[in-house]
Each structure stands twice: as structure tokens, then as C-alpha cells.
Amino acid sequence: MQKIKNIAIIAHVDHGKTTLIDAALQQLGVFRSNEKVDERVMDSNDLERERGITIFSKNASIFYKDYKINIVDTPGHADFGGEVQRIMKMVDCVLLLVDAFEGPMPQTKYVLKKSLELGLSPIVVINKIDRPNCRPKEVLEMVFDLFIELNANDHQLDFPVIYASGRDGIASYEPDEKGTDLVPLFETIIKNVPDSTGDIDKPLQMLVSAIEYDNYIGKIGSGKINSGSISQGEEIVLLKRDGERLLYRISKIFQYVGLKKQEVAKAFAGDIVSLAGMEMVDVGETVADKEHPFPLPLIEIDAPTLAMKFRVNDSPFAGRDGRYLTSRKILERLKSELQSNVSLVLEETLSPEEFIVKGRGELQLSILIENMRREGYEFQVSKPKVIFRELKGKRTEPVELVLVDTDNEFVGTVIEMLSLRKGEMLDMVQGTDGYTRLEYKVPARGLIGFRNEFLTSTRGTGIINHSFYEYEYYKGEIERKTRGSLIALENGIATAYSLNAFAPRGTMFIDPGTEVYEGMVIGEHSRENDLVLNIVRGKKLTNVRAAGSDDSVKLAPCRKFSLEQALEYIEDDELLEITPKNIRFRKKALKATDRQRLKTKE
């Protein structure tokens, strides 16, 4: 029987994790010499490629000497912590990848904490040693301090260290050594990662850690076989979360060879496999022997911290772009997302056209929204709101750990902005490159809408990273500098003449020729109140020309929003209209009289 090592790679966003896996796959002959290979081959999803981040956990395997090494690529952002938590039960060790210049970041801290709590002993890889101004020795000290802070035990503190450059495909045991390949990394894995074990003679037990769907063979459940063995065509019992027991016959068994699934007739304890033939399988359930059905402990997933309402699109432009518009279709899609995304929670409301989706952060929810709009769904979402909890009779709220790198010139501005949002400074370190690093604890609700203001205040030079820290007692009201909205008065097409006339009133979000409707938000007012504008009015035409007044109109560029920026920007009385082709801001009540009536009630 083959010796197996199961490892997960964890790192902060953009620390080079996926590039290092590319190099490992290349050097161990996973690809043919004449095979065309994309960069960041593990980032197979379109959104992952566009954004340059890992969103979904994925599997691969490499063969070195007598060993098969199963690699699980994990997301580097804490919003996808559910992806990380569900796969940690599949592996026996983690590779902690840290940038040789930046050092440990908030996302690294979150995922490392989860792996240490499970008793896994990490291997530290200090990556990007080819980077100018890198400081591997200082970064190693920072990593050690982080391990102590996270209460690592003595064995975990005695971690092996490898210095690598994923881009160049080299690794070494010392920072000053010049490596030639990744062999030192492979040797360290073989030496330090325990063999994946499991008693073959015991009854079958496998915890399902991931779900995917195939149009031909249906649902596929993946996980590590804890004990026993399984054969194609064998009858098994699926132990559901609610205690129900379902009898199924396994139609296909897949193992990973390189990046591809390979069908096998039988699999044994210790290996990571994918099983087809279980129609009702979900994440966290146990595949067990028919005669001795014993469940494994369920996967514990942290509770969501942010909630958002999804509702049917009822704007005047509804149905123009999308294929799926009805509440039934939207609900079906959200329910299908729950099958693979274990950290999401879906709640139905009293209204059949509105649903509450709870997640771990804005990025996680925005990825869901972006995927849905690309699939042809059309819907509306509300402003994200944090989820409060009760602890010992007191109200608590989610607090984020925030790491800010900013030019020394803007340090005072950033400190003032975070203080207004009830931020608590933990550390402040002045760098040698003109930048200062600030570490803060900030209530999650204080960070909603903060990124845009932060980038503006630091003139686009600041870098901010944050991840969930813990729930703490309510910090009190946060004062927000609110700006009013510019709202379209009637349906029509925006004219350059009107946009030019109203330019002094604020910042516009639309270009001339954009079709608008009554109640649509077309810009940001320079004052605190909302202002309704007739943006579709054209210039009166006469036979008389006036000197100067007929010059061509020169407009400032309108302000464009990404999906995340738009989610941060909207207010409580507004909605974001999401279609495959457009993202529009609108008021919940489209008519001015309805808005006034609601305001009077409040």
C-alpha cells in the first residue's frame, strides 16, 4: 500500500501560495514537457483568475520518491474561513506560507489559529526571498512571536523553516543559500509530515468535507477515509446531520493524480477520495459501513457575522438583462449554494420575495452575488448589517483585527478615522521605507464603507487588511459623516446638458446617455440631504445662437464602483439592483411622496 502525506497550504492573499504549487507540479512531472500550462493553475474559477485570489479549496497530488503527497489549496481570506475549517480534518500538517517582506498578516493569523487548535504542526515557508528589501530573519521572528501569541505547544513551536521563491521554483534551508529547485521543500515534507494513517481492518468511516456536482454522475462528496476501505459498487450508509440514515451504492471512486481525478476500483484509509452515487450527501456528514454505521464528529464552522437581504428585482428596468427573475429561482440558487458553502446561512422571511443571507464578510457575499449575476440572475440586495449576539445579558458585536500600512504623511489621518469608528490601537511600528504599520481592533460595523474613505484620505497609497477577531461587548454608537444622494426625478435618458448644469451639486455616478428611472440614485450630494434632480431635461432649441452658451459641454468623469465598493456605499434606505450587465443604486421607495411618508412615520 502506498505511503500518503496529506497537507494543506495556508497563506495571506497574494503571498505566492498558488504560484509555489505551480512550480511543485511542474518540477515533479505532473505536466507533459509539451503541455501548455496556465499560470496559477490551481485557481480554476474565473473569479479567482480575475482577482488573483483563491476562493474555493481545491485538491491536487504529487508523487515524490515512494510517497503520494495530497495537497489542499486553501483560501487566504478570512471571509472564506468556512472553506478552510471544513478541509482541516482532511490533512495531517499545514504549510504556512509567509511573505519575506510583509510577514504574517491578519488572514494568516486567523487560519493558523484554526490549524493549531486542531493540533496540527506547521512547516513554515518564507516565500519571495528574491523580493527586493526582503527581511527573512525579521519575518521568522515575527512568525515565532505569532505562534506564541496563538498558544502553540512546544512541539508546534519547534517548526521547520524553508526559504523559497515560488516564482523561480527554488527552495533552501538557509536564507543566504541559493537554491536550484524545490527538493529541500519536498524533503522537509517527507521528514516532518506524519504518514496519513487509519486502520484498514476497522469499519469504513469517511467525513465528507467538500461537495461538487457533475452533470453526468450527479453529486460528488470528497473527504479523507479515516478507517476501513471502500470499493466501487459497495453499499454504504450515509449518516445525515439530523440522524437520518440513507443507504446508497457507490457508483464511482476518484483519486487525485496531479490536478485530475482518476477513477479507481478501491480506496483505503488515509487517502483523500471523491465518491459518486450519493444523491443527498452534504458537507459534514459521515459515509459509514453498512453493518457498523458509526458517525464521525461534525465539522464545526464559525457562525456568520454579517447579514444581507436578497429580494426580487421590482425596479422599472426589471427583466431586461437577466434570465432568472422569480423568487423561486433565486431561492433555489441560494439553497444550492448552501450545499457547498458551509459558512453561509439562509433564512426565509415573512415576505415570499425576500430572503436573508448570512455570511462571514462582505467579500464572501460579494463573490456569491457576482457568481449569481454571471449565471443570469437578476435581483436586489440591501446594505450589509452586522449580526449582534447576547452574552450574559449584554449585547456583543463582531470585532475585526485591522492591519494598515500607510505613508508616514497620513498616519495621523488614519488614526483619527479609526478612532471615530471606535477602533482600539494594539500596535504601531514605523518601517524603514517611509511607511508605518498600524494594528487595530475595530467593530465590524465601523469598517462598512470605510475602505473607500480610507483610500481617498491616503490618496490611494494605503493598504488595509482585516479579519474576524472575536465578539466583544457593544462599543456604542458610531458617528458617520453621511452625504445625501442625488436622485432621478423621472424616467428617461440623462442628457449632458442637465449633468453639466447639476455638476456643482455633487459627484455623478452616470454618463450622458444612461437610461434612468424615478428613484434611481445617480450621484452623491455635496450636502447631507437627498436632492431630486430632473436629469433628463434637454436644452431648449431656438434659431438664435448666443456667444459662449453653445460651446461643447465638458463633464468631469463620473464615479464608477466595483461590486464591493457599491455594497459598502449604499445606505439603509437604498438597494443595489444587480443584473448580469448593470449595477444600479436606487431608493427602496422610488416615489418622493412615498419616501417622505416613510420619513414622517420614523
Side-chain angles (χ1 to χ4, degrees), residues 414-451:
V414 174
I415 289 174
E416 183 184 356
M417 290 165 65
L418 289 172
S419 298
L420 288 170
R421 287 165 171 76
K422 306 292 183 184
E424 178 188 331
M425 185 186 286
L426 302 176
D427 196 12
M428 178 175 172
V429 180
Q430 189 153 0
T432 56
D433 55 352
Y435 270 66
T436 297
R437 174 168 288 187
L438 303 170
E439 190 173 347
Y440 267 83
K441 283 196 307 183
V442 186
R445 60 196 166 95
L447 292 176
I448 295 175
F450 174 70
R451 189 178 294 270

Side-chain angles (χ1 to χ4, degrees), residues 10-14 17 53-55 74-84 106-108 110-111 360-364 367 400 451 464-468 564:
I10 57 177
H12 180 75
V13 176
D14 201 33
K17 165 171 49 70
I53 62 173
T54 303
I55 297 170
T74 65
H77 199 288
D79 280 16
F80 309 110
E83 291 285 311
V84 177
Q107 322 292 356
T108 318
Y110 171 82
V111 184
R360 295 288 288 276
E362 282 175 295
L363 182 59
Q364 185 192 25
I367 293 294
E400 301 267 320
R451 189 178 294 270
I464 180 169
N465 292 285
H466 58 89
S467 66
F468 174 70
E564 283 86 6

Side-chain angles (χ1 to χ4, degrees), residues 8 31 227 231 274 304 336 342 350 359 412 445 448 471 485 487 523 597:
F31 309 115
S227 61
S231 304
S274 299
S336 71
V342 292
L350 296 175
R445 60 196 166 95
I448 295 175
Y471 267 82
S485 299
I487 307 163
R597 195 177 294 118

Side-chain angles (χ1 to χ4, degrees), residues 136-147:
K137 291 181 180 176
E138 288 178 50
V139 167
L140 180 57
E141 288 178 13
M142 293 163 70
V143 171
F144 191 78
D145 290 343
L146 177 61
F147 272 64

Side-chain angles (χ1 to χ4, degrees), residues 113-130:
K113 182 183 177 187
K114 295 297 175 190
S115 59
L116 292 176
E117 285 172 357
L118 287 171
L120 300 176
S121 297
I123 295 171
V124 174
V125 180
I126 296 179
N127 195 30
K128 300 190 181 181
I129 55 169
D130 56 321

